[in-house]
Amino acid sequence: MFIFRQFAISQVSKSMGLNYPVRQGKVRDVYDLGSQVLLVASDRISAFDYILPSQIPDKGRVLTQMSQFWFETLDVPNHLITTDVAQMKLNGDVDLSQLEGRSTLARKTEVVPIECVVRGYLAGSGWKEYQQSQTVCGIKLPAGLNQASRLPEPIFTPATKAESGHDENIPFARMVEIVGQEMADLLRERSLAVYQAGAERALQHGIIIADTKFEWGVVDGEVILIDEVLTPDSSRFWPQDQYAEGISPPSFDKQFVRDWLEQSGWDKNSEPPMLPDEIVQKTRGKYIEAFERITGRKFAW
């Protein structure tokens, strides 16, 4: 997996003509421009801690444009400078056509090393823990909740950021040890507020945001929202008209991919298989549908 990721970095940098120091995440390539960074959202998709050999066409554009929508809509300081590649003034012989729609010029920050997770519904790892102890990340919840139950109020459940593999849920007290009481309190308050605002907007358009995660950074003493915001990659989106307690509701994210991999016979310890075109197209369609329903904009690519 490490070899594959290094190969991807060199190929992307070479094909786009971007001659800047670069760091690659599972989806985004982050180019260091000095006091700014260029985030390029690829069409890569990951599952079960592997970057898959197949890509989802336009996925990076959906993530970039949805994040742009939220950065411009939510009343919270953030890192966005522009997504217009013509205004980025990049050095070298850069192929702007490959960057269009999937690139964000942003302020460089000192990244807070915590994934700020907010959960409004009982799902995923939270549901697994609840069945054992009636808690989620150590937070005691009422008895009698079911899978996908709406929580009495959203809860903040931080996690440590992992370069590879799964992030690790941690208690709030551990977050305080890592970043300090003042920062921990501030990020909990802001993360809950951003989730509430986003969830209310999405619900008006028939989408439940069951949970999500945020990243925050510090620049010139100011704490700002960074990376991506309330996208199908960072959040669990459910269609309101198909929601019911007691089941895992259909989603707008990469569930088609996970379900197919589970049934494919792949052992999850070797190089993942290529995805069938049907699964690729269904996943692309769900990402685009989520974008269009929440933003009210037509996906133009």
Side-chain angles (χ1 to χ4, degrees):
M1 185 172 173
F2 176 78
I3 295 174
F4 170 77
R5 291 179 61 158
Q6 289 298 100
F7 174 77
I9 289 175
S10 62
Q11 289 297 97
V12 169
S13 300
K14 182 178 179 180
S15 66
M16 290 185 178
L18 289 168
N19 299 314
Y20 301 97
V22 59
R23 176 178 59 83
Q24 184 187 50
K26 290 180 179 178
V27 174
R28 285 169 184 76
D29 299 326
V30 182
Y31 295 88
D32 189 340
L33 276 60
S35 62
Q36 301 172 344
V37 292
L38 176 67
L39 283 70
V40 180
S42 74
D43 293 336
R44 294 190 296 269
I45 189 164
S46 64
F48 304 112
D49 298 332
Y50 281 83
I51 298 174
L52 305 185
S54 301
Q55 298 194 0
I56 307 300
D58 294 316
K59 175 175 174 281
R61 292 190 170 101
V62 170
L63 300 181
T64 298
Q65 292 176 56
M66 184 171 283
S67 290
Q68 177 190 4
F69 167 80
W70 288 118
F71 282 133
E72 293 174 348
T73 301
L74 297 167
D75 183 22
V76 59
N78 61 73
H79 72 170
L80 177 64
I81 298 173
T82 185
T83 58
D84 183 352
V85 295
Q87 297 183 24
M88 293 182 184
K89 300 179 181 178
L90 300 171
N91 296 328
D93 186 19
V94 178
D95 183 356
L96 296 182
S97 66
Q98 293 197 53
L99 296 176
E100 287 180 341
R102 61 173 73 252
S103 304
T104 301
L105 185 66
R107 300 163 69 188
K108 184 193 288 187
T109 70
E110 180 182 350
V111 179
V112 180
I114 298 290
E115 294 280 3
C116 291
V117 180
V118 180
R119 304 170 189 262
Y121 291 76
L122 195 53
S125 62
W127 167 238
K128 291 179 181 178
E129 179 183 333
Y130 177 82
Q131 293 176 87
Q132 298 174 350
S133 59
Q134 290 189 3
T135 64
V136 173
C137 298
I139 300 173
K140 189 69 176 177
L141 295 177
L145 298 180
N146 298 309
Q147 185 178 20
S149 286
R150 183 175 181 177
L151 300 178
E153 60 182 11
I155 58 174
F156 179 75
T157 59
T160 53
K161 292 167 59 67
E163 287 298 321
S164 61
H166 286 297
D167 298 330
E168 179 183 354
N169 295 333
I170 58 173
F172 185 73
R174 175 57 183 150
M175 179 179 175
V176 171
E177 292 175 357
I178 296 171
V179 302
Q181 186 73 55
E182 183 177 359
M183 178 67 76
D185 289 341
L186 176 64
L187 296 188
R188 177 170 59 183
E189 177 185 350
R190 289 196 180 178
S191 297
L192 287 166
V194 174
Y195 170 78
Q196 291 274 40
E200 290 173 7
R201 162 83 191 204
L203 197 58
Q204 292 171 5
H205 298 272
I207 292 180
I208 293 170
I209 301 181
D211 52 42
T212 193
K213 64 180 180 180
F214 302 111
E215 292 197 40
W216 300 85
V218 180
V219 58
D220 297 330
E222 181 183 25
V223 178
I224 63 176
L225 189 59
I226 64 172
D227 196 48
E228 63 180 313
V229 183
L230 298 171
T231 72
D233 263 19
S234 67
S235 314
R236 204 184 306 265
F237 287 179
W238 295 336
Q240 185 184 19
D241 60 0
Q242 299 178 60
Y243 166 74
E245 289 191 32
I247 64 169
S248 178
S251 67
F252 285 95
D253 58 14
K254 51 191 173 185
Q255 196 59 46
F256 285 117
V257 172
R258 294 192 191 98
D259 290 347
W260 184 84
L261 288 171
E262 289 279 17
Q263 299 167 15
S264 70
W266 175 48
D267 62 7
K268 301 180 185 177
N269 291 309
S270 57
E271 191 69 18
M274 295 290 293
L275 300 174
D277 185 64
E278 178 186 10
I279 300 301
V280 169
Q281 293 305 319
K282 282 184 176 180
T283 303
R284 177 182 183 273
K286 281 297 180 184
Y287 273 74
I288 291 174
E289 182 183 354
F291 169 81
E292 293 185 339
R293 288 177 64 169
I294 287 178
T295 67
R297 302 171 182 174
K298 186 69 177 175
F299 184 70
W301 297 91

